[in-house]
Amino acid sequence: MIDLIIFLILLALGYGFGRLAESRHYTSIREREKELNVIPAIASRIPPHGRPDFDIHLVTGSVVISIDYFKRFIAGLRNLLGGRISAYETLLDRARREALLRMKAEARDLGAEMVFNIKLETASIHKGRGGSIGSVEVLAYGTAFIPHQTS
């Protein structure tokens, strides 16, 4: 009986704190996306023509995000039934957006006008019990185009 009570408490705590953390993170992401929208991030491998006056610099943004206990439990149930696992979708969405924001922030700090050839790499860095996803890392990288400084 005590095991069931502990399980339900962990489930409730995971739901409450997980929802709060996710909500705060999405609010932060939306605010920073508005701020950093002045720096275009383009996936094309072809740089802009006619603008040879740029220095180029590799910029990166990396993030590791863990899934909460409640979502892990719900995802386990969903694995039994099949279908979309929205708990993992929001985890990866937040990780990708955060990694891109960190990459753009680095580009902004260097004075870049744009970032080209954006790539995203994703890795599961921690496996929970039974090989379930525990934490994911997302790395965003690209080439920042920084205008030459004229003095």
Side-chain angles (χ1 to χ4, degrees), residues 14 16 22 33 35 60 68 70 80 82-83 97 99 101 104 108 119 121 125 138 151:
E22 184 175 277
E33 282 176 339
E35 178 184 323
T60 63
D68 62 67
F70 178 77
L80 292 174
R97 291 168 73 177
L101 284 170
K104 283 178 138 186
R108 178 195 57 202
K119 302 286 185 205
E121 299 288 335
I125 62 167
V138 175
S151 52

Side-chain angles (χ1 to χ4, degrees), residues 11 16-17 22 26-28 31 38 40 48 52 56 59 92 102-103 108 112 115 119 131 142 144-145:
L11 206 57
F17 286 111
E22 184 175 277
Y26 268 123
T27 300
S28 169
E31 289 172 359
V38 295
I56 58 172
V59 287
L92 290 171
R102 291 180 182 188
M103 180 196 67
R108 178 195 57 202
V115 181
K119 302 286 185 205
F145 283 64

Side-chain angles (χ1 to χ4, degrees), residues 97-138:
R97 291 168 73 177
E98 181 67 38
L100 285 171
L101 284 170
R102 291 180 182 188
M103 180 196 67
K104 283 178 138 186
E106 182 181 340
R108 178 195 57 202
D109 293 345
L110 292 170
E113 282 189 3
M114 63 186 96
V115 181
F116 259 75
N117 201 15
I118 304 296
K119 302 286 185 205
L120 291 168
E121 299 288 335
T122 304
S124 174
I125 62 167
H126 169 72
K127 295 287 185 189
R129 197 181 321 168
S132 65
I133 293 176
S135 301
V136 294
E137 178 191 25
V138 175

